[in-house]
Amino acid sequence: MSDFLVNGYKNITPYVPGEQPRDKKYIKLNTNESPFCPPESVMNAVAGQVADIQLYSDPELLNLRRQMSDSFNMPIECIAMTNGSDEALNLAFMAFADKQKPLAFADITYGFYKVIAELNAIPYTLIPLSEDLSVCADDYVGINKTIVIANPNAPTGKYLEIGEIEKIVKSNPENIIIIDEAYIDFGGESAAALIGKYNNLIVIGTFSKSRSMAGARLGYVFAAPEIIADINAIRYSMNPFNVNAFTEAAGIAVLKEQKYFDDKCDTIKKNRSWTQQKLRELGFDVIDSMTNFVFAMTEAMGGKELYLKLKDKGVLVRHFDSERIKNYNRITIGTIEQMRTLIGKIEEILEEKQNEEC
Ligand SMILES: *Cc1c(COP(=O)(O)O)cnc(C)c1O
């Protein structure tokens, strides 16, 4: 830390993203990216944009928002686009939470919430997940806080029924409820259908997971028009060109390939069932997942030990050093070949462990 950093930032703990190692080729099952590249139309759309690189991107992102409106059946004035959904979360926290409107979120959820809250000096309350690591909707009913819920939740993979989400939104009419739907395309039902009914609901989504665009950074916000206007006031005050022209072009092309991505999500769901079953056969405790990852633990060894041994064998998974979940690993669902390799390596590791103990 330099002597020049202002006091307000001296105590922040930055987010630690999952490793993106460049040292050797790993089977990367640690950051919930899609294992599938986008279709050719997306590559062509990006290439077609190069000739206009001297021009600023469209701050209103009209073409992309029109396509979003079509694809999601959402009025265009209810849509804002962001540089990844992490930016959407930051904008929403800035706009709708502060000392008077503190945040509430689960003790085990997306690690970025805490980081963004601290960056913006927003106080927050952690609401513990239940014993089985579920979000319990009743814990959020009428609590008079700005609430953020990842649904399905990360890293557990558990999904909260939309009726439960509605209960939370309805019972906190004075506060904004943010639903982070990064993984909604892998089996859940989006709360976006409730936007017309409640003016205190924000739904945030991303192109990073189900739409194979993590590297392009594209996220979105769905909310009532006044809410979107507030988000835009902050967006224009920070970075009006937050979504670059290549990403806009890629986003439009991706949305036109709905069938391609629906098929890929179906493949991920199949591979997920396969992986869950294989892990259970090997004695793992696996939480039923509604996402493109599974959260699993074994009595045979600690979560960190398994993570390190897998890494040693060229397979990266994500381990969180947090007390309640330290026995678990979060494993991204990849191609069936990748999952076969994962299971093979786990079998080896379990066998080596047994031999050690004999
Ligand atoms: C991956 C993820 C995001 C962030 O995705 P972006 O790449 O910034 O769009 C947001 N929320 C959750 C719960 C995630 O897992």
Side-chain angles (χ1 to χ4, degrees), residues 31-32 83-87 89 109-110 113 150 152-154 180 182-183 204-209 214 217-219 293 330:
T31 48
N32 300 341
N83 190 311
S85 58
D86 288 340
E87 185 184 56
L89 290 164
T109 188
Y110 188 38
Y113 303 153
N153 195 16
D180 176 356
Y183 301 102
I204 286 176
T206 179
F207 282 56
S208 294
K209 314 284 164 55
R217 316 301 305 127
L218 187 61
F293 57 82
R330 192 194 67 190

Side-chain angles (χ1 to χ4, degrees), residues 54-96:
Q54 77 280 19
L55 302 176
Y56 280 108
S57 58
D58 172 15
E60 283 191 70
L61 297 154
L62 256 186
N63 291 335
L64 175 55
R65 284 169 56 238
R66 282 199 187 109
Q67 185 61 52
M68 287 288 293
S69 176
D70 270 6
S71 297
F72 288 88
N73 198 16
M74 179 68 61
I76 194 163
E77 63 276 12
C78 295
I79 305 170
M81 304 304 299
T82 58
N83 190 311
S85 58
D86 288 340
E87 185 184 56
L89 290 164
N90 190 33
L91 290 168
F93 283 21
M94 286 175 78
F96 304 111

Side-chain angles (χ1 to χ4, degrees), residues 153-357:
N153 195 16
T156 62
K158 283 197 159 198
Y159 171 69
L160 192 60
E161 293 297 332
I162 190 125
E164 301 291 287
I165 297 283
E166 182 163 11
K167 204 158 81 178
I168 297 168
V169 175
K170 200 172 177 173
S171 67
N172 290 284
E174 307 289 313
N175 292 90
I176 290 287
I177 313 302
I178 302 164
I179 307 299
D180 176 356
E181 296 190 343
Y183 301 102
I184 201 67
D185 294 336
F186 301 104
E189 190 187 346
S190 174
L194 301 174
I195 297 276
K197 208 166 156 191
Y198 298 98
N199 66 357
N200 62 326
L201 170 63
I202 293 179
V203 172
I204 286 176
T206 179
F207 282 56
S208 294
K209 314 284 164 55
S210 59
R211 294 172 201 273
S212 298
M213 266 180 63
R217 316 301 305 127
L218 187 61
Y220 56 87
V221 184
F222 292 150
E226 316 82 73
I227 299 286
I228 294 295
D230 293 340
I231 297 263
N232 274 332
I234 296 179
R235 186 172 71 87
Y236 276 87
S237 307
M238 271 174 39
N239 186 7
F241 306 106
N242 61 333
V243 175
N244 72 67
F246 298 108
T247 295
E248 182 182 23
I252 294 167
V254 156
L255 290 170
K256 289 179 178 162
E257 297 276 6
Q258 193 57 44
K259 171 133 188 8
Y260 176 93
F261 289 100
D262 286 346
D263 287 349
K264 297 303 180 206
C265 286
D266 286 344
T267 304
I268 294 291
K269 285 190 255 179
K270 263 189 230 131
N271 298 353
R272 178 177 74 196
S273 306
W274 185 88
T275 308
Q276 288 183 162
Q277 191 192 330
K278 288 290 171 192
L279 286 171
R280 284 176 183 143
E281 284 167 17
L282 291 173
F284 276 75
D285 187 5
V286 187
I287 297 179
D288 268 323
S289 168
M290 287 285 265
T291 63
N292 67 338
F293 57 82
V294 293
F295 203 47
M297 61 159 286
T298 168
E299 300 288 344
M301 67 188 79
K304 184 151 196 187
E305 183 178 352
L306 178 61
Y307 152 76
L308 288 171
K309 288 185 163 159
L310 278 169
K311 185 172 179 185
D312 206 44
K313 290 177 184 285
V315 179
L316 271 186
V317 300
R318 188 93 198 255
H319 179 257
F320 297 92
D321 246 333
S322 138
E323 191 51 36
R324 269 189 94 180
I325 53 170
K326 64 180 191 320
N327 287 332
Y328 284 85
N329 279 293
R330 192 194 67 190
I331 305 167
T332 304
I333 302 299
T335 62
I336 195 69
E337 294 76 24
Q338 290 178 317
M339 303 328 284
R340 285 209 184 94
T341 307
L342 165 83
I343 295 297
K345 300 293 181 194
I346 290 178
E347 281 167 345
E348 280 174 36
I349 289 165
L350 291 174
E351 212 164 292
E352 285 160 15
K353 181 82 180 176
Q354 233 171 11
N355 293 342
E356 249 171 57
E357 281 165 5

